Amino acid sequence: MKIVVLDGYTENPGDISWGPLEALGDVTVYDRTSYVESPLIAERIGDADVAVINKTPISRETIDKCLNLKTIAVLATGYNVVDYEYAKAKGIPVQNVPVYGTDNVSQYAVSLLMEICSHIGAHSDSVHAGEWASNADWCYWHYPMIEVSGKTAGIIGLGRIGTNTAKILRAMNVRVIAYDSFQSETGKAVAEYVELDELLAESDFIFLHCPLFPSTEGIINKDTIAKMKDGVIIINNSRGPLVVEQDLYEALESGKVAAAAVDVVSTEPIKADNVLLKAKNCIITPHISWATKDARERIMNTTAENIKSVIDGTPVNVVNK
């Protein structure tokens, strides 16, 4: 079994082992290949049986050139970088890692909210800069401090991650409401389902935990923002295109949205001219909600299990059945 990893660095910058994959065959790892369509992708796959990717795209042109492919294994949950329908037509399963970082992403989402509400990093920086030592008062603060207890959080997308975020928020005495096209008993146990307009109108904090579908792309836009409370806080560590960034920028500048924190943007890596880089009260982090060592080890192990299932003739976690 010949396995080629096309963009392995973000999964494993050197702190975990490729051993689970190496146990299955001959493994070649490239730290980076390309995040846009390139002839180099097919060249590097060559006659490999397995292409392992994270964000390197696999197009129909690449599939047509790589005649020995038996599976495409994605080191992530999202698989939109693969032409999975064409792969299906060619009899090539596309496998993902459906569950690996629920706790991490929820933890990070609430951490983003807490950074907005408490400004811990900024105040620590000010102390290290000497401001407390030279201050006339025994304490000071540069930003309004926001108490989350008693507030209402609206979660758009109450799947595994949204449900977990709801549990954390409820433990902080936050009322949780949710909008999701699919309602579950698990969701009802942690949140009150409402229509989207009600969620927009009632929420002090809005969390995006929904997948990126045509129906959710741009769900945060000038029209939905207009329905929100003045001074709302928006958290997005799901998918960048859920937000119309120009509209969020304008809402931040006007104060309609008091603050936002995003771990994802429309194009990644972020472009130097992304409008959110100049927005007021906007925290931006580089898509790292998922990236604890524990989570990456789970990704590695599940990917190995996915590939082994193909070897055994019973593929699992196939997204293009």
Side-chain angles (χ1 to χ4, degrees):
M1 179 68 67
K2 187 174 181 180
I3 302 168
V4 174
V5 182
L6 290 169
D7 56 333
Y9 186 81
T10 52
E11 160 66 11
N12 181 16
D15 59 344
I16 62 176
S17 171
W18 290 106
L21 268 61
E22 291 168 341
L24 300 174
D26 178 19
V27 179
T28 300
V29 178
Y30 297 99
D31 283 345
R32 303 168 186 86
T33 299
S34 175
Y35 294 140
V36 296
E37 177 62 22
S38 165
L40 182 61
I41 298 170
E43 180 182 324
R44 286 186 167 178
I45 295 172
D47 64 350
D49 302 282
V50 181
V52 180
I53 64 164
N54 198 318
K55 296 294 182 287
T56 293
I58 303 292
S59 67
R60 64 174 54 207
E61 289 78 14
T62 295
I63 291 170
D64 282 340
K65 292 176 183 177
C66 302
L67 302 180
N68 206 37
L69 271 181
K70 296 178 177 60
T71 189
I72 299 168
V74 185
L75 293 162
T77 302
Y79 50 89
N80 58 300
V81 294
V82 182
D83 190 334
Y84 52 89
E85 291 293 351
Y86 190 68
K88 177 181 178 180
K90 289 291 186 175
I92 301 169
V94 176
Q95 299 171 286
N96 74 339
V97 182
V99 182
Y100 66 88
T102 301
D103 290 338
N104 295 328
V105 179
S106 298
Q107 169 187 310
Y108 201 90
V110 177
S111 297
L112 289 172
L113 174 67
M114 297 312 298
E115 180 59 29
I116 288 173
C117 292
S118 300
H119 303 280
I120 294 167
H123 286 111
S124 176
D125 289 345
S126 77
V127 171
H128 283 283
E131 189 170 350
W132 198 12
S134 61
N135 202 282
D137 299 306
W138 63 272
C139 77
Y140 63 91
W141 56 92
H142 292 310
Y143 306 94
M145 308 288 276
I146 300 170
E147 185 173 297
V148 301
S149 178
K151 302 293 194 302
T152 297
I155 299 177
I156 300 177
L158 202 62
R160 281 187 291 263
I161 294 171
T163 297
N164 207 52
T165 298
K167 291 177 182 177
I168 298 171
L169 292 168
R170 281 165 57 94
M172 301 170 72
N173 194 36
V174 175
R175 175 190 175 222
V176 182
I177 58 178
Y179 169 73
D180 198 308
S181 56
F182 174 78
Q183 298 185 11
S184 69
E185 293 305 314
T186 302
K188 290 176 182 177
V190 296
E192 174 191 351
Y193 283 106
V194 297
E195 293 301 316
L196 181 59
D197 282 356
E198 185 177 347
L199 182 147
L200 297 172
E202 294 191 11
S203 298
D204 299 292
F205 320 127
I206 293 178
F207 290 83
L208 298 178
H209 284 315
C210 54
L212 178 62
F213 294 134
S215 60
T216 59
E217 184 171 359
I219 195 169
I220 302 300
N221 58 61
K222 62 182 179 181
D223 294 328
T224 53
I225 290 171
K227 297 175 181 179
M228 297 177 190
K229 283 184 176 181
D230 292 344
V232 68
I233 293 171
I234 297 174
I235 309 294
N236 182 21
N237 62 335
S238 181
R239 291 290 182 265
L242 296 171
V243 175
V244 178
E245 290 170 339
Q246 180 64 38
D247 294 352
L248 178 57
Y249 166 78
E250 292 174 3
L252 285 163
E253 291 297 296
S254 71
K256 172 67 177 181
V257 175
V262 300
D263 185 48
V264 289
V265 292
S266 56
T267 300
E268 297 173 354
I270 195 169
K271 292 184 176 180
D273 62 352
N274 187 298
V275 69
L276 293 181
L277 288 170
K278 61 181 182 180
K280 295 191 299 186
N281 301 327
C282 186
I283 294 171
I284 306 173
T285 56
H287 202 146
I288 54 174
S289 298
W290 65 283
T292 64
K293 183 179 179 182
D294 291 330
R296 288 182 288 109
E297 287 179 335
R298 286 192 289 271
I299 291 171
M300 184 76 75
N301 291 331
T302 301
T303 299
E305 291 166 6
N306 286 347
I307 295 169
K308 186 177 186 303
S309 74
V310 172
I311 297 172
D312 294 342
T314 54
V316 298
N317 294 325
V318 177
V319 300
N320 62 338
K321 292 180 180 179

